Amino acid sequence: MDISDSQLKDAYNEVRDTFDKNWALFGYEGSNKLVVRGSGTGGLDELKTQLQDDEVLFAYLRVTTGEAENERKRFVYILWVGEKVAPLKRAKVSVHKPSVKQIIQNYTFEKHAETLDDLDEQALLNKLSEIKSCAEVQ
C-alpha cells in the first residue's frame, strides 16, 4: 500500500497535536494508494456523514472525556468496512491495515464498524471509560 502522501501524516497530526480538527478520514485512491478523504471539527456525528456503505475507510477520532480538571483527550482508530463492500476488498483490509497503522499510531482503542449503528457515541465513551478504569487498577 502506498502511504507516501505527506498529507496523511499532516491530517493525523492535526487531530493528535492541535485543537483545529477532531477527526481525519483516510481512504483509497485507486486500489492501493491511501489519501486524506476529509477532516473536521464536528466530532463523531460529522465523521459519520462521510462514511459510505460501499467503501473501506480509516478514521482517527479525538474524543474528550472527563470534566474540567479531569478532562482528557482520547483517540479512537476506526476501521470502516461498509456493509456493501465486496469480499475481495474486505480481504485486502487485513493486508493494508499494518500500513495504515504507520500513519495512525497512537490511539486508545480500535473500533471496527460496518454500519453507522456500530458507531454509537455513548458506547464509545463507555469503552473509553472502561479502558481508563482498567489502567487505574494496574
Side-chain angles (χ1 to χ4, degrees), residues 22-118:
N22 58 21
W23 64 267
L25 185 64
F26 309 95
Y28 292 99
E29 180 177 273
S31 63
N32 205 39
K33 183 175 183 180
L34 193 66
V35 295
V36 177
R37 295 285 295 273
S39 63
T41 58
L44 182 60
D45 288 338
E46 182 181 40
L47 171 61
K48 286 167 63 171
T49 67
Q50 305 299 306
L51 304 175
Q52 304 297 316
D53 62 2
D54 61 347
E55 290 188 291
V56 173
L57 299 164
F58 309 89
Y60 190 56
L61 174 69
R62 184 180 69 235
V63 178
T64 303
T65 62
E67 306 214 8
E69 66 273 351
N70 293 324
E71 187 175 278
R72 294 205 170 162
K73 307 291 184 226
R74 303 294 175 125
F75 300 91
V76 181
Y77 164 41
I78 299 169
L79 170 56
W80 172 264
V81 182
E83 291 180 291
K84 295 181 182 175
V85 170
L88 188 56
K89 272 188 172 179
R90 285 178 181 273
K92 284 174 118 179
V93 171
S94 63
V95 175
H96 289 166
K97 208 165 124 176
S99 296
V100 174
K101 287 185 175 182
Q102 290 179 42
I103 303 299
I104 301 174
Q105 296 178 343
N106 298 301
Y107 51 90
T108 307
F109 79 97
E110 178 179 331
K111 173 68 177 165
H112 182 266
E114 295 184 2
T115 69
L116 295 178
D117 290 340
D118 293 338

Side-chain angles (χ1 to χ4, degrees), residues 44 61 63 65 76 78 109 111 118-129:
L44 182 60
L61 174 69
V63 178
T65 62
V76 181
I78 299 169
F109 79 97
K111 173 68 177 165
D118 293 338
L119 294 173
D120 176 72
E121 186 164 13
Q122 190 57 54
L124 288 178
L125 291 171
N126 290 345
K127 179 71 173 176
L128 289 167
S129 179

